[in-house]
Amino acid sequence: MASLFSSHCLTQLSAITSINGFQFRALDLKQDLPTLQSWFNQEYAQFWGMQGLNLAAIENLMAATQHKFALMGEWQGKSLFMVELYDPAHDEIGHHYRVAPGDCGMHLIIAPPDGSPISGLSFKVMDAIAQLVLEKLAFNRLVVEPDQLNSKIHRLNSRVGIRYEKAIQLSTKAAYLGFCTAAERQLASNAPSSTGLVQTSSALPSSLAAPVTSPMTLSTL
């Protein structure tokens, strides 16, 4: 799967794949670049490191390769999020753990709010992506490396079933390395919670202190 990552994934997807009301389609560079540029220039999108880039630069960074590709997620006829899937064996993250066959890395950005916020929408996006990776594409593990300062994403990751193994230092950020299998996602979805939220610390190994940060708008993973 490593050498044919993108082609393997795209052949498993129809032109438009629907999961829980979200429509996934391949990123169209000509159509979607202006939308992505506007998202990347939002203050909350700082973790992507693409603020101020022109369309040509974004196109160069987001173009599909043999080892990565991006999908746009639409909801109610509008673009809501972009998810990039990649082969960890061909990414910097692969230097921080032993990559196993069937691992799939993921980066996410969600559109800025349009009107009144919708409770639970970000979690539904995360869960749909986990289903896409672990069920539709049948990968063994979802691999994430969120910025340590992004407190909201840690809480959402925990709800989906992602568990952090360790803190790591990447070239662009201090991150947590996390994993999720289909069984872990299912266990998390069945876990009772009176508030519908799992505390951030539950996603962290006991050796890592939960990050103390100010509230931050969810945008990236």
Side-chain angles (χ1 to χ4, degrees):
M1 192 175 293
S3 61
L4 299 174
F5 181 87
S6 295
S7 59
H8 167 83
C9 293
L10 292 172
T11 55
Q12 301 301 309
L13 299 174
S14 59
I16 298 178
T17 296
S18 181
I19 299 177
N20 292 352
F22 300 108
Q23 285 72 50
F24 292 84
R25 61 171 176 79
L27 179 70
D28 184 321
L29 289 176
K30 291 184 179 180
Q31 173 184 328
D32 297 321
L33 279 183
T35 297
L36 287 183
Q37 185 184 49
S38 70
W39 293 358
F40 289 143
N41 278 308
Q42 300 292 320
E43 182 179 355
Y44 66 71
Q46 60 182 302
F47 298 126
W48 276 83
M50 293 190 183
Q51 292 175 323
L53 296 185
N54 60 31
L55 292 177
I58 295 174
E59 179 176 6
N60 182 60
L61 292 169
M62 294 306 306
T65 71
Q66 189 176 9
H67 308 299
K68 70 178 180 73
F69 68 99
L71 299 170
M72 289 294 287
E74 297 181 344
W75 185 64
Q76 297 185 346
K78 296 182 179 181
S79 296
L80 178 65
F81 61 92
M82 184 275 289
V83 58
E84 183 180 55
L85 303 181
Y86 66 92
D87 182 354
H90 295 269
D91 185 86
E92 181 184 5
I93 194 66
H95 299 296
H96 292 271
Y97 82 103
R98 183 173 295 178
V99 179
D103 283 354
C104 178
M106 182 266 283
H107 298 132
L108 168 67
I109 183 167
I110 298 179
D114 181 12
S116 300
I118 299 174
S119 177
L121 185 60
S122 295
F123 168 71
K124 291 178 182 178
V125 168
M126 288 283 293
D127 192 55
I129 292 170
Q131 287 189 58
L132 175 77
V133 171
L134 299 170
E135 296 179 15
K136 179 69 175 179
L137 296 176
F139 281 98
N140 296 332
R141 290 193 300 183
L142 176 63
V143 182
V144 301
E145 20 83 358
D147 194 294
Q148 291 181 17
L149 298 179
N150 199 340
S151 58
K152 286 191 175 182
I153 201 66
H154 304 319
R155 185 165 62 250
L156 283 171
N157 282 347
S158 179
R159 289 187 65 193
V160 171
I162 295 169
R163 294 296 177 263
Y164 296 166
E165 180 177 284
K166 60 182 179 179
I168 59 174
Q169 182 62 54
L170 299 176
S171 60
T172 58
K173 63 184 178 182
Y176 289 121
L177 174 65
F179 303 94
C180 182
T181 65
E184 289 166 338
R185 176 188 166 271
Q186 189 61 45
L187 183 64
S189 67
N190 293 332
S193 173
S194 60
T195 63
L197 292 177
V198 178
Q199 294 299 315
T200 300
S201 59
S202 65
L204 299 171
S206 58
S207 60
L208 298 177
V212 179
T213 64
S214 57
M216 186 176 297
T217 302
L218 168 66
S219 64
T220 59
L221 178 63

